[in-house]
Amino acid sequence: MMKGIFTGGKLPGYIYKSHIDYKAARAVINESDSADNIAFFARLFESILRETSNLTEEF
């Protein structure tokens, strides 16, 4: 995903530091298939991690 070997899209182009676009990042694996649902759950999972973790964020 980091190198874009599946579809040519690279994950760092969609998710890096303060820019996070989960819906567009779906294109890294399987174009836009279920992109809205996957983005919803990614944001939910991220919020749970932020609320429950004491680790620092680093990309």
Side-chain angles (χ1 to χ4, degrees):
M1 292 187 308
M2 298 298 284
K3 295 181 180 181
I5 61 173
F6 294 107
T7 62
K10 297 178 183 179
L11 193 57
Y14 303 102
I15 299 175
Y16 58 92
K17 298 196 182 200
S18 63
H19 175 81
I20 299 174
D21 187 346
Y22 291 121
K23 185 174 178 179
R26 179 69 178 134
V28 171
I29 297 296
N30 197 1
E31 303 201 5
S32 63
D33 181 48
S34 301
D36 288 325
N37 286 337
I38 291 169
F40 170 79
F41 286 111
R43 286 188 294 272
L44 179 61
F45 185 64
E46 178 186 2
S47 71
I48 291 168
L49 287 175
R50 288 179 188 277
E51 291 175 16
T52 61
S53 178
N54 61 358
L55 298 175
T56 60
E57 291 184 35
E58 294 185 27
F59 287 88

